[in-house]
Amino acid sequence: MEAFDYNKVLAATDGDKELAVEIIGIFQDQVPVILTEIDRAIQAGDARQLQQAAHTLKGASGNVGAMVIYGLALSLETVGKNNEMQKAAELLEKISEAVKTFEQATVHLKGASVE
Amino acid sequence: MKVLVVEDDQVSQKLTVKVLEKNNYEVFTVETGKDAVKFLETGEEQIDIVISDIMMPVMDGFNLLSYMKADIRLRRIPVILCTALNDINSVKRALTLGAVDYVTKPIDANTLLAKVRNAEKRVPGAVLVVDDEDLLRGLLSKIIMRDGLKVLQASSGKEALELLDKNNITVVLSDIVMPEMNGLELLVEVKEKNPTMPVVLVTGHGSEYSKDDILAAGADGFISKPFKNAEIISRIRPYFK
């Protein structure tokens, strides 16, 4: 699976590249907040909160073509739903890695929005 | 068309708003079901379509949908729910509760637009209330809106004709006595443009026009002042299937 699927985000925006860059920016601003929430849920052992936060991450990542994050968020959501908290920390670590990869994969788009 | 987007995820919200705005929808946003209810109940903006996420803190999409379907003023508004891909149970539940459609996330702009356009066909038209007297026009409008119908207001026959050209209107409710163009003249103009547009006229006590004159002129209905609220509704409702 690709870390960044540009076609996905273009489908989401109906080919609008400027909007694509804009929502990727919103996503990147939002990610640290969601990751903190996930971390907090894991520390507190709060499966419901974990499921919520993972769900938010899933929704946002799918729209920006962050397909690896999307897949991991989906797994994490299931972990929350089934209350298998012992699996959560490892997934969070993988998500943090995937976020870095996504940032590298999208860095070239910034400043190239006006074409 | 006015669309209310109910979405707590900023990426999805921005995306939905931009796609709709580019296609000339007027878009409003709130972040929870609870805020959606608050927004809809003020009635300041008469929303035509609601697009709502399901999982939200403070009143989720299912609860919002159920609430709207149980509220006479909000029942008319078509609701589209957003579900995660492959979540067949949510889709079933959404449709059972009365959603007109659903969109799956990740969002696809063209699918979203097609579904909104489809929902648009389910949006009932408005009642056009025409009266030069602000007080009576406001009263008539309130009575009709309280029954869950959308209202547009005109303070003259001329304004009424302009609104008829530009909006989806199901029935015209007009006072007879107005300066410049009176209700009967408006009736003639409306029927000339659109013979099937229903026109109901309101007349005052001891008016120079009898009920027979008004119906002979081609009006579809007739209400005399003073009227009861229920009378207004019973004259208007039949035009909304």
Side-chain angles (χ1 to χ4, degrees), chain B residues 17-211:
Chain B
V17 169
K18 278 282 170 83
V19 167
L20 293 175
E21 279 180 350
K22 266 205 266 178
N23 287 277
N24 299 319
Y25 290 93
E26 196 179 338
V27 188
F28 302 84
T29 57
V30 288
E31 298 191 357
T32 66
K34 197 176 170 205
D35 287 342
V37 167
K38 246 192 253 165
F39 183 91
L40 291 166
E41 284 193 332
T42 63
E44 275 167 34
E45 298 293 345
Q46 295 190 60
I47 295 294
D48 295 303
I49 298 171
V50 169
I51 303 177
S52 175
D53 189 24
I54 291 178
M55 210 192 245
M56 290 177 292
V58 209
M59 196 173 193
D60 69 16
F62 293 129
N63 284 326
L64 171 62
L65 177 60
S66 304
Y67 184 95
M68 287 178 68
K69 292 303 156 191
D71 185 318
I72 188 165
R73 293 157 303 168
L74 307 179
R75 194 180 290 165
R76 68 176 169 85
I77 304 174
V79 178
I80 298 175
L81 286 188
C82 303
T83 70
L85 204 59
N86 297 331
D87 186 356
I88 189 72
N89 288 330
S90 289
V91 170
K92 270 192 203 154
R93 191 164 167 214
L95 298 177
T96 308
L97 290 173
V100 291
D101 210 337
Y102 63 93
V103 290
T104 54
K105 284 185 186 175
I107 293 167
D108 176 273
N110 286 315
T111 311
L112 172 70
L113 266 179
K115 297 209 168 194
V116 172
R117 290 201 172 116
N118 249 330
E120 209 176 317
K121 292 182 201 145
R122 310 275 283 268
V123 175
V127 179
L128 177 58
V129 177
V130 193
D131 198 330
D132 60 308
E133 287 172 52
D134 294 347
L135 207 66
L136 189 63
R137 193 178 64 242
L139 175 67
L140 287 169
S141 301
K142 228 178 236 163
I143 293 168
I144 297 165
M145 280 196 277
R146 248 193 310 225
D147 200 53
L149 297 171
K150 188 174 172 179
V151 169
L152 288 172
Q153 301 188 35
S155 57
S156 70
K158 185 169 168 274
E159 194 188 345
L161 291 170
E162 284 169 9
L163 287 173
L164 269 164
D165 274 344
K166 290 185 208 136
N167 296 278
N168 175 17
I169 288 164
T170 301
V171 51
V172 178
L173 177 65
S174 175
D175 192 23
I176 291 186
V177 183
M178 294 188 290
E180 290 167 35
M181 187 188 297
N182 72 26
L184 285 165
E185 290 163 332
L186 173 63
L187 167 68
V188 172
E189 295 253 357
V190 170
K191 291 288 182 182
E192 213 163 86
K193 278 191 181 173
N194 181 358
T196 61
M197 175 64 68
V199 179
V200 175
L201 294 177
V202 183
T203 178
H205 204 56
S207 153
E208 56 179 304
Y209 306 103
S210 74
K211 183 181 173 182

Side-chain angles (χ1 to χ4, degrees), chain A residues 8-75:
Chain A
K8 268 260 159 40
V9 66
L10 288 182
T13 63
D14 191 23
D16 186 333
K17 291 176 183 167
E18 215 166 305
L19 178 56
V21 172
E22 193 180 350
I23 60 171
I24 288 169
I26 295 173
F27 175 71
Q28 283 170 338
D29 289 344
Q30 202 180 23
V31 159
V33 181
I34 303 175
L35 293 190
T36 308
E37 249 173 73
I38 291 175
D39 190 41
R40 210 176 290 153
I42 294 174
Q43 300 304 330
D46 187 338
R48 199 183 142 64
Q49 181 60 37
L50 177 70
Q51 188 191 347
Q52 283 255 357
H55 179 85
T56 306
L57 182 63
K58 185 185 75 176
S61 55
N63 287 327
V64 294
M67 301 325 287
V68 174
I69 303 175
Y70 179 82
L72 291 166
L74 178 62
S75 304

